[in-house]
Amino acid sequence: MNKVILMGRLTRDPEVRYSQGEQSIAIARYTLAVDRRFRRDGDQQTADFISCVAFGRQGEFAERYLRKGLKIAVTGRIQTGSYTNKDGQKVYTTEVVVEDHEFAESKAASDANSGFAPADRPSPSVAAGDGFMNIPDGIDEELPFN
């Protein structure tokens, strides 16, 4: 079985291209920085940088919604390949072919991590107080459950 599950942050905005032909499909490429669980002695790197490629609807989703710094969860499969570069050297590749990706944090957390906070939207603590919406008085009989 070839199944991969990753959670990490995008290192840059996805690079999206469309295939040629009558029915072109989106091909999105991006890199995920995935934190390592443990640090080895003397190892300065605390994350692995995993190349991902998404095709079709998943590629369109990446183009529309994914941005640098966003934390996502990816499921897919590992694909290896090789090609000969212009210098005649054989280059081996490994990437994750994305079958599904999901947001792994809220929009507010994402904005906080990217340093961007929309000014026209109140912060969640001001808007919600304890996190729950107040139900107006007299609406009990309109609720479909009790």
Side-chain angles (χ1 to χ4, degrees):
M1 178 187 295
N2 183 354
K3 180 98 172 164
V4 176
I5 303 171
L6 300 170
M7 184 179 297
R9 294 192 183 278
L10 273 78
T11 61
R12 59 181 170 19
D13 289 350
E15 177 184 310
V16 182
R17 296 183 179 164
Y18 285 84
S19 64
Q20 297 179 357
E22 286 183 32
Q23 297 197 3
S24 65
I25 62 168
I27 304 167
R29 294 186 179 279
Y30 56 85
T31 302
L32 274 184
V34 179
D35 289 332
R36 289 185 177 169
R37 204 167 211 180
F38 303 103
R39 178 186 279 189
R40 291 189 209 155
D41 294 332
D43 190 5
Q44 298 297 321
Q45 185 175 354
T46 60
D48 291 302
F49 298 89
I50 312 293
S51 297
C52 299
V53 61
F55 296 98
R57 295 184 77 201
Q58 296 301 331
E60 292 169 7
F61 179 90
E63 180 179 34
R64 197 171 299 130
Y65 298 111
L66 303 185
R67 296 290 172 255
K68 177 182 177 179
L70 185 67
K71 188 174 190 179
I72 62 170
V74 170
T75 57
R77 60 185 169 80
I78 291 181
Q79 179 173 286
T80 59
S82 65
Y83 64 93
T84 304
N85 68 10
K86 61 184 176 185
D87 299 329
Q89 297 174 326
K90 192 160 196 158
V91 178
Y92 295 93
T93 62
T94 303
E95 60 192 2
V96 172
V97 177
V98 176
E99 294 169 358
D100 188 35
H101 35 223
E102 300 177 17
F103 299 110
E105 66 184 356
S106 69
K107 177 83 167 116
S110 173
D111 290 345
N113 286 325
S114 69
F116 171 74
D120 60 344
R121 185 176 66 193
S123 68
S125 60
V126 173
D130 62 357
F132 292 97
M133 181 178 133
N134 290 327
I135 298 176
D137 293 332
I139 197 167
D140 292 336
E141 50 277 347
E142 293 179 32
L143 293 175
F145 53 87
N146 286 331

